[in-house]
Amino acid sequence: MAIPQDSIPTRRRSSSEMSRSTFSLVQQLSSLDARRPSSPLVDVKPIEFWAMGPRKEVIQPLRRPQPPADDYFRKLEPRLYSLDSSGDDVDSLTDEEILLRYQLGMLHFSTQYDLINGHLGVRVIEARDLPPPLTCDGARQDMAHSNPYVKISLLPDHKNSRQTGVKRKTQNPVFEERFTFDLLFLEAQRRTLLLSVVDFDKFSRHCVIGKVALPLSEVDLVKGGHWWKALVPSSQNEVELGELLLSLNYLPSAGRLNVDIIRAKQLLQTDMCQGSDPFVKVQLVTGLKLVKTKKTSCMKGTIDPFYNESFSFRVPHEDLSEVSLVFTVYGHNMKSSNDFVGRIVIGQFSTGPPETSHWRHLLASQRTPVEQWHSLRSRAECDRVSPASLEVT
């Protein structure tokens, strides 16, 4: 069958158009491949600094369920918040609050500095509403009245302590006693005046009823002033027994141990009316054997006696390391046995670091007198720490 001639040109035009279309598609694909990078594209957006401010997302912490109110308060320890806690700061309380809390009474006193004579004057006037007496172990010893007196000292070193007389069987004692402390004005301003009200007990230990502490930097010393101050409890229930000044000297060539008992101060009062009649007994103990006993004269009616008495003990040099000196202060009593005041032991069986230090200084500086103050200790304390104390009466 013959093909019409007029149809052949039409078919050829269609093939030409298809070729051009295919060539154009290939060019477009080639251009895309040329623009394609060798590594993957990363879509990096510009940092919008305004978005880092208040509009940033806030992460809320996880909230744990709270315990019920009853459980929360049940976990508190009431003793830590009680009014009787020993950690309370009494400086932040008024005198009325202190009196209401502790009920120890009040003390009336005055102070004034004398610029002309260079001394601090303290006047102890009276006390009122002192509590009924208690022994240190808490047992009632007298349901009626105390036998109070006031001890005055300057902190921090208790310089030149003083004390009033004892007032018999009263809770409202009137003292009206004056005391002077010789010290510079600038030194006085750095001191704290401590007044301790003490209950005298001849047959037991003197117990501190309460105390008042007055920083002298907080008052006008030259102008002076009077104060009624509420008493606060004292951490030291038992009053100090006093101090003893001793000088020791060893002469190796003569084999002599020399002891000078110079003076004592603020001894525990053993007589309510006359103060005390104190004397000192010194005893030489070698090992655990009492060798020799000597004693000073008795000083009448004082708690600050001056002795200036010397004693000598024969001690061979080879025995010096085994020697103990026992010093005991007594108050003379004509009606009964002498009243024990206090004791210390110096030597092999010393009763404490100060006594040990004095003995070491003696051994290190023979032929040279070594002088030192010592605080007296109770009989029970000495017997507990020193075997030499157990060997003497």
Side-chain angles (χ1 to χ4, degrees):
M1 180 176 177
I3 299 174
Q5 295 295 325
D6 56 351
S7 63
I8 294 175
T10 303
R11 187 178 296 119
R12 287 176 180 174
R13 287 194 299 271
S14 298
S15 299
S16 176
E17 290 175 357
M18 291 176 63
S19 297
R20 287 195 299 271
S21 175
T22 301
F23 180 75
S24 174
L25 180 60
V26 171
Q27 284 184 332
Q28 291 177 6
L29 292 174
S30 299
S31 63
L32 288 174
D33 292 339
R35 294 196 303 268
R36 181 177 299 166
S38 58
S39 59
L41 293 175
V42 179
D43 186 13
V44 179
K45 294 183 180 181
I47 299 176
E48 299 178 359
F49 290 95
W50 59 270
M52 301 176 63
R55 300 181 64 178
K56 66 180 181 180
E57 184 180 1
V58 179
I59 300 176
Q60 297 292 337
L62 294 176
R63 295 183 178 274
R64 296 182 179 179
Q66 297 292 330
D70 293 341
D71 293 340
Y72 176 77
F73 289 105
R74 194 175 294 121
K75 294 180 179 180
L76 296 178
E77 298 185 39
R79 65 180 179 83
L80 299 179
Y81 304 91
S82 65
L83 293 178
D84 295 329
S85 175
S86 58
D88 288 339
D89 185 7
V90 297
D91 294 335
S92 62
L93 303 177
T94 64
D95 284 322
E96 290 77 10
E97 292 171 332
I98 293 174
L99 187 61
L100 181 63
R101 173 177 298 186
Y102 300 112
Q103 299 181 0
L104 296 177
M106 302 191 73
L107 182 65
H108 186 197
F109 64 97
S110 68
T111 63
Q112 187 172 22
Y113 189 84
D114 187 341
L115 287 173
I116 298 177
N117 297 310
H119 64 243
L120 174 68
V122 178
R123 178 186 171 204
V124 181
I125 304 172
E126 61 181 318
R128 70 182 182 194
D129 300 328
L130 299 180
L134 294 172
T135 58
C136 292
D137 60 2
R140 297 273 181 178
Q141 73 180 32
D142 182 356
M143 296 298 292
H145 298 291
S146 302
N147 300 305
Y149 66 93
V150 180
K151 185 172 183 178
I152 309 102
S153 56
L154 296 176
L155 301 179
D157 55 2
H158 297 273
K159 182 177 181 180
N160 297 327
S161 296
R162 305 282 194 275
Q163 71 181 46
T164 69
V166 179
K167 302 302 176 181
R168 296 174 60 88
K169 297 189 178 299
T170 177
Q171 307 310 119
N172 299 282
V174 177
F175 298 103
E176 281 296 348
E177 297 188 37
R178 299 175 183 269
F179 305 90
T180 59
F181 298 87
D182 295 324
L183 70 169
L184 299 175
F185 179 74
L186 293 178
E187 183 182 357
Q189 289 183 311
R190 294 192 291 265
R191 301 282 183 169
T192 295
L193 177 65
L194 177 66
L195 301 104
S196 302
V197 181
V198 185
D199 183 16
F200 177 94
D201 182 7
K202 179 178 177 62
F203 303 103
S204 181
R205 296 175 292 180
H206 299 196
C207 293
V208 179
I209 298 173
K211 67 178 182 179
V212 170
L214 178 67
L216 298 181
S217 60
E218 299 179 1
V219 301
D220 189 337
L221 288 178
V222 177
K223 182 180 179 181
H226 288 250
W227 292 274
W228 274 103
K229 291 287 185 180
L231 296 172
V232 299
S234 174
S235 59
Q236 185 178 5
N237 291 327
E238 185 179 354
V239 70
E240 296 177 353
L241 303 177
E243 296 181 78
L244 190 62
L245 179 59
L246 305 171
S247 177
L248 304 179
N249 179 25
Y250 183 70
L251 301 177
S253 58
R256 307 297 295 183
L257 178 59
N258 298 322
V259 177
D260 293 337
I261 301 177
I262 303 173
R263 59 170 296 196
K265 67 178 181 180
Q266 291 302 293
L267 298 177
L268 183 70
Q269 192 165 336
T270 58
D271 188 280
M272 192 178 301
C273 300
Q274 300 179 2
S276 292
D277 299 330
F279 67 92
V280 183
K281 182 186 290 187
V282 53
Q283 297 167 287
L284 177 69
V285 177
T286 301
L288 294 178
K289 181 181 179 181
L290 177 60
V291 178
K292 197 75 172 179
T293 298
K294 300 183 180 182
K295 64 179 182 179
T296 68
S297 55
C298 180
M299 300 297 171
K300 297 291 185 179
T302 180
I303 59 172
D304 299 294
F306 283 86
Y307 295 105
N308 286 326
E309 298 186 31
S310 299
F311 305 94
S312 181
F313 299 93
R314 179 166 180 78
V315 179
H317 191 272
E318 59 270 19
D319 294 340
L320 188 60
S321 60
E322 301 179 3
V323 164
S324 298
L325 291 170
V326 182
F327 297 88
T328 308
V329 180
Y330 292 94
H332 180 67
N333 193 326
M334 297 182 61
K335 298 180 180 179
S336 62
S337 60
N338 295 323
D339 302 311
F340 179 91
V341 175
R343 172 179 290 171
I344 60 166
V345 181
I346 301 176
Q348 180 188 19
F349 298 114
S350 293
T351 45
E355 293 90 327
T356 300
S357 176
H358 197 174
W359 187 250
R360 287 176 178 174
H361 288 165
L362 166 71
L363 299 178
S365 57
Q366 298 181 12
R367 302 183 182 87
T368 302
V370 182
E371 185 177 300
Q372 184 174 321
W373 279 101
H374 293 277
S375 296
L376 296 173
R377 304 173 185 269
S378 67
R379 188 196 301 269
E381 180 182 359
C382 293
D383 290 348
R384 185 175 64 251
V385 300
S386 175
S389 178
L390 296 170
E391 299 302 316
V392 303
T393 57

